[in-house]
Amino acid sequence: MQGLTELLKGSLEGIVLQHISCGETYGYEITHYLIDLGFEDIVEGTVYTVLLRLEKKGLLTVERRPSDLGPQRKFYQLNDAGADYLATFWKKWAFLVDKMAILEGEQKNDNSK
Amino acid sequence: MQGLTELLKGSLEGIVLQHISCGETYGYEITHYLIDLGFEDIVEGTVYTVLLRLEKKGLLTVERRPSDLGPQRKFYQLNDAGADYLATFWKKWAFLVDKMAILEGEQKNDNSK
DNA sequence: CCTCCTAGATAGTGATACTAAGTAGTGAAT
DNA sequence: ATTCACTACTTAGTATCACTATCTAGGAGG
């Protein structure tokens, strides 16, 4: 799916947080997970900037450990603040999904006189 | 609901288009419709900028007509391009909702050894 | 005259995803 | 040995978008 850029604003952060909440992981893995999920146009740069932002917000714990395949990996885990933030995110998302469903269900009222 | 700003990026455009598709309307009415829907923090300035953007994209037909209550109203209707654009928007939205549901369903896999 | 409601426009700001380019480690192919 | 491919992270710059704040303006009521 293409042209999701604007819709992803705000959601991508939650998407990344949610994936990290499933277990410790790192940027490169997250990127390929998202591509496999169907977000084909996501590139590494995008994911890394999200991760750095989440880290600056104090939502993640970070640990660098060597990889057996390449450079060091930067492993992330959710901390308590991250879990709270993620819970709030899902509430907002549920609100939006609910309102969008209401809107989508509304039919065209014929204004022809 | 507060703090929806980032999540609304990309969706607000579709929300406004969808409402217009239900019948000819104008900015002030749209604003109050959205507030009533639950988007309490939406203000007029935001809606007008969305409308001007949609107009520049060639998705709306515009007609100014006097109001019996105040200044002239600027009435909007979807044109064919707008209808196409809206259909594409709903496909993108459905894609995102689907992926988010998959993500939300994934449980924490316990990494404790 | 003043206030409130109706109705629209716009310059400036901040947040975000994306573009594009770079650095670096490892291993396989040539 | 050199090149290529894959792994892994960083960052400067850009475009888009919602929001802030302020402005103009018409009409109704006090």
Side-chain angles (χ1 to χ4, degrees), chain B residues 32-50:
Chain B
H32 289 277
Y33 170 78
L34 294 179
I35 292 168
D36 291 345
L37 230 190
F39 297 103
E40 304 161 6
D41 296 339
I42 295 274
V43 293
E44 295 167 32
T46 300
V47 175
Y48 288 121
T49 52
V50 171

Side-chain angles (χ1 to χ4, degrees), chain B residues 53-105:
Chain B
R53 195 167 69 233
L54 294 172
E55 189 183 341
K56 278 176 193 160
K57 285 185 183 175
L59 307 176
L60 303 174
T61 60
V62 187
E63 197 182 342
R64 281 179 186 275
R65 292 204 300 275
S67 163
D68 48 345
L69 291 173
Q72 278 208 328
R73 291 172 179 163
K74 206 172 155 183
F75 286 93
Y76 292 99
Q77 276 184 298
L78 244 67
N79 60 25
D80 289 346
D84 288 349
Y85 192 91
L86 181 56
T88 301
F89 166 79
W90 280 119
K91 280 179 196 160
K92 291 182 196 168
W93 177 254
F95 177 87
L96 186 59
V97 168
D98 182 52
K99 300 306 174 190
M100 293 296 281
I102 292 172
L103 269 157
E104 198 174 6

Side-chain angles (χ1 to χ4, degrees), chain A residues 27-91:
Chain A
Y28 190 80
E29 190 280 333
I30 296 171
T31 305
H32 289 276
Y33 171 77
L34 294 178
I35 292 169
D36 290 345
L37 232 189
F39 297 104
E40 304 160 7
D41 296 339
I42 294 275
V43 292
E44 295 170 33
T46 301
V47 174
Y48 288 119
T49 52
V50 171
L51 287 169
L52 291 172
R53 194 166 71 234
L54 294 172
E55 189 183 339
K56 276 176 194 159
K57 285 185 183 174
L59 306 176
L60 303 174
T61 60
V62 187
E63 195 182 341
R64 283 180 186 274
R65 290 204 301 275
S67 163
D68 48 346
L69 291 172
Q72 279 207 328
R73 290 172 180 164
K74 208 172 154 185
F75 286 93
Y76 292 99
Q77 275 184 297
L78 244 68
N79 60 24
D80 289 347
D84 287 350
Y85 192 91
L86 181 57
T88 301
F89 167 79
W90 280 120
K91 281 179 195 160

Side-chain angles (χ1 to χ4, degrees), chain A residues 5-24:
Chain A
T5 299
E6 298 308 325
L7 273 181
L8 277 181
K9 288 188 181 176
S11 1
L12 184 58
E13 199 175 85
I15 291 171
V16 170
L17 271 179
Q18 172 66 26
H19 184 56
I20 294 173
S21 83
C22 291
E24 190 189 51

